[in-house]
Amino acid sequence: MINGQNVDRRTLMERSIPGRIGTVLPALDVPAQPLPQGEMLRDGLELPELAEPEIVRYFTLLSHLNFSIDTNFYPLGSCTMKYNPKVNDEMAFLPGFASLHPLQGQETTQGALKLLYLLQGYLAELTGMKGVSLASLAGAQGEFCGMLMIRAYHHERGDKERTRVAIPDSAHGTNPASAAMAGFDVVSVASDSRGNMDLEALKDVADSHLAGVMITQPNTLGLFDTNILELCDTVHRAGGLVYGDGANMNALLGRAKLASLGFDVVHLNLHKTFTTPHGGGGPGAGPVGVNDTLLPYLPAPVVGRQQENGGDSFSLTTPEKSIGKVCGFHGNFGVLVRAYTYIRSMGNTGLAEVSTNAVLNANYLMQSLKDIYYLPYDRTCMHEVVFSARDQKARDVRGLEIAKRLLDYGFHAPTMYFPLIVDEALMIEPTETENKETLDAFIEAMRAIDREVSEDPSLVNNAPHSTPVSRLDEARAARQPNLRG
Ligand SMILES: *Cc1c(COP(=O)(O)O)cnc(C)c1O
């Protein structure tokens, strides 16, 4: 059953009836051609024979088996699964954008280049950074670019002893991975009792071997690190640079500029904050922004503007000491069009309202659930809140089970067991696009599940009961996917 309807689970082949067809081809109006010979043809290829409505129903059913933000609330912390306005897609599908070829001459793509140039400027304005490159295709790739730029900067100055990058223990897993891929040794820095990066622990590693620090603001506990100015200052005084992971920009949009917090280089996740449907690995864009120091190192291309005879022209440029190219062409253009459309349709005031409401919604959930779900860091949160299922675990139901049971209530699971420093973490990010009725229904579900934990723990421990498939072996599902079952 899905949405109260019986589901026909047969595959396309099982639905096939010999001789049934889905199209009627017109009579041949060209001479018939012989088929290619021998080994170019396959014999005995089994194809399903179905009429068009049956095909449409089958594929529509498949699309409903998946969970999406267009169907239900999706509070997957850190991922910013907010509603993606359809106007973004309409703009990205305009033939003038969608039909461009990346190898086309620049004189024929001035409109697209202008859009990229303007977007670079908007993102520089929103972050306060001096320059932006749109080339990177994901948040993690933006981090990697940032690390390569920091490395190039130190090497350029002959400072080759700086081999370490300090990262708080609350960080997203991509941070240490990116630093390691760029050749740095990662030093983990503890968080203090309020969830900030421990300033004293940072001071201990702020020496002549420190290349830089990666900080997420607000951090992955959903908390604004109130030591940020002093943290950045400590790193700078030791000769290092500060990388700001801006994936949580939904909390700050239109309110605070990352540059004014002390960051030298940042990335944004356009697919999260600036609304492109994402998940399952793509598509994404993770532009990087830099201050004056790192401007010459930006990845190529950066779109430049030339003013000639009163008119503007735009071209792809390579910064003087660029770390090089990080993707085949000019970045993930369709995602960039969507981000541009989003920024233009929201405007200054709209973007500031995004962060206001994202933070308000997260605090509403926090206040409404903290009497039942343990709150390890009990202070005002930003755009997301991290609970612990510690008290439910004491009644033999773990966070994983609670997340699975939420599916039966029609909600996507929150992020679980991350950040690593919270036992039984349930990380909930409601986003600004959910209304109060949805949040109240979610709160009611979380409270109902807690009652079930006391009254009928096996109901929760065997959930979900209403999804097309119940519990999967997640490791095997990823490595040996069964796409036909
Ligand atoms: C999502 C996220 C990233 C990585 O972004 P991808 O686009 O998935 O590579 C990095 N840091 C934080 C805090 C994130 O939430």
Side-chain angles (χ1 to χ4, degrees):
M1 295 272 278
I2 291 186
N3 300 334
Q5 295 163 38
N6 280 319
V7 174
D8 183 350
R9 303 297 303 277
R10 290 175 305 156
T11 64
L12 271 189
M13 276 320 293
E14 287 163 357
R15 292 164 193 244
S16 172
I17 306 272
R20 193 162 284 175
I21 51 170
T23 37
V24 182
L25 295 175
L28 204 59
D29 61 355
V30 291
Q33 297 297 312
L35 291 170
Q37 294 303 305
E39 66 278 4
M40 297 191 73
L41 294 176
R42 273 188 290 172
D43 268 337
L45 191 62
E46 261 190 287
L47 292 172
E49 298 174 69
L50 294 159
E52 183 172 319
E54 291 151 6
I55 301 271
V56 168
R57 283 187 189 151
Y58 177 74
F59 283 104
T60 306
L61 167 74
L62 286 190
S63 75
H64 284 265
L65 293 180
N66 216 344
F67 197 103
S68 77
I69 185 64
D70 282 350
T71 50
N72 291 77
F73 182 41
Y74 208 133
L76 191 66
S78 211
C79 295
T80 311
M81 304 303 284
K82 55 164 132 175
Y83 176 72
N84 305 292
K86 300 300 170 226
V87 66
N88 294 355
D89 298 329
E90 279 172 41
M91 294 306 115
F93 293 160
L94 287 175
F97 291 139
S99 307
L100 287 179
H101 192 283
L103 292 177
Q104 221 169 300
Q106 291 181 32
E107 65 286 357
T108 68
T109 57
Q110 285 295 303
L113 292 174
K114 180 175 181 183
L115 179 140
L116 298 180
Y117 179 84
L118 291 173
L119 180 60
Q120 284 172 189
Y122 297 155
L123 299 181
E125 176 68 25
L126 282 165
T127 55
M129 306 308 287
K130 281 284 156 51
V132 168
S133 164
L134 303 171
S136 145
L137 303 176
Q141 202 182 26
E143 295 165 20
F144 182 56
C145 292
M147 289 295 104
L148 290 182
M149 284 190 266
I150 289 178
R151 198 180 66 166
Y153 164 80
H154 289 308
H155 281 201
E156 168 88 19
R157 303 167 71 239
D159 200 351
K160 298 203 169 147
E161 299 297 299
R162 295 192 181 268
T163 52
R164 295 187 195 143
V165 167
I167 302 179
D169 57 5
S170 61
H172 194 269
T174 50
N175 287 192
S178 303
M181 274 181 64
F184 290 113
D185 298 324
V186 174
V187 185
S188 179
V189 179
S191 302
D192 66 18
S193 59
R194 298 192 67 233
N196 292 331
M197 187 171 182
D198 190 322
L199 197 52
E200 295 311 313
L202 177 66
K203 284 180 183 162
D204 288 344
V205 297
D207 57 21
S208 61
H209 293 290
L210 188 71
V213 172
M214 297 180 91
I215 301 179
T216 310
Q217 180 74 307
N219 66 23
T220 57
L221 295 162
L223 302 173
F224 191 90
D225 196 316
T226 47
N227 295 333
I228 188 66
L229 295 176
E230 210 175 336
L231 287 170
C232 293
D233 205 36
T234 304
V235 179
H236 288 143
R237 271 187 282 120
L241 296 179
V242 187
Y243 186 92
D245 177 332
N248 290 343
M249 194 65 188
N250 225 39
L252 302 176
L253 209 53
R255 298 270 161 202
K257 298 196 181 193
L258 294 173
S260 57
L261 302 178
F263 296 135
D264 301 292
V265 43
V266 303
H267 85 263
L268 295 174
N269 278 50
L270 297 191
H271 43 293
K272 295 180 181 171
T273 316
F274 299 91
T275 58
T276 290
H278 61 283
V288 281
V290 292
N291 65 7
D292 282 326
T293 326
L294 293 178
L295 212 46
Y297 300 93
L298 276 175
V302 173
V303 180
R305 180 175 67 171
Q306 297 77 38
Q307 282 167 316
E308 322 166 321
N309 314 324
D312 287 340
S313 74
F314 301 89
S315 62
L316 299 168
T317 68
T318 300
E320 192 194 333
K321 301 171 188 166
S322 173
I323 57 161
K325 294 200 73 156
V326 292
C327 65
F329 294 104
H330 322 323
N332 214 338
F333 185 65
V335 178
L336 303 176
V337 176
R338 286 173 175 84
Y340 173 89
T341 306
Y342 182 66
I343 291 172
R344 291 299 302 264
S345 57
M346 298 300 281
N348 273 341
T349 33
L351 291 174
E353 274 175 36
V354 165
S355 52
T356 306
N357 290 326
V359 172
L360 179 66
N361 280 356
N363 278 283
Y364 181 64
L365 288 185
M366 182 181 90
Q367 292 300 338
S368 307
L369 288 170
K370 72 176 194 178
D371 60 327
I372 289 191
Y373 290 91
Y374 173 62
L375 189 62
Y377 301 95
D378 191 357
R379 53 187 262 216
T380 306
C381 67
M382 298 294 285
H383 66 307
E384 61 196 357
V385 51
V386 180
F387 290 107
S388 160
R390 178 193 83 168
D391 298 346
Q392 287 70 25
K393 188 177 166 190
R395 283 175 274 150
D396 294 326
V397 177
R398 300 189 59 205
L400 172 80
E401 271 62 63
I402 294 167
K404 297 276 183 205
R405 181 66 177 142
L406 271 171
L407 300 173
D408 287 332
Y409 283 87
F411 300 113
H412 195 279
T415 295
M416 299 168 292
Y417 301 106
F418 172 73
L420 303 174
I421 55 174
V422 173
D423 181 38
E424 295 294 322
L426 291 175
M427 182 196 217
I428 300 174
E429 179 179 4
T431 83
E432 75 285 3
T433 58
E434 297 301 330
N435 59 30
K436 182 162 180 297
E437 295 73 45
T438 303
L439 298 183
D440 285 338
F442 179 75
I443 291 163
E444 195 32 60
M446 288 293 283
R447 300 185 81 88
I449 293 171
D450 180 67
R451 287 193 296 275
E452 291 168 356
V453 169
S454 295
E455 290 158 13
D456 189 2
S458 73
L459 176 70
V460 185
N461 283 332
N462 293 312
H465 304 280
S466 62
T467 50
V469 285
S470 186
R471 297 225 171 181
L472 298 174
D473 174 341
E474 287 171 18
R476 220 176 90 204
R479 282 165 186 74
Q480 299 162 24
N482 175 1
L483 302 177
R484 317 182 70 207

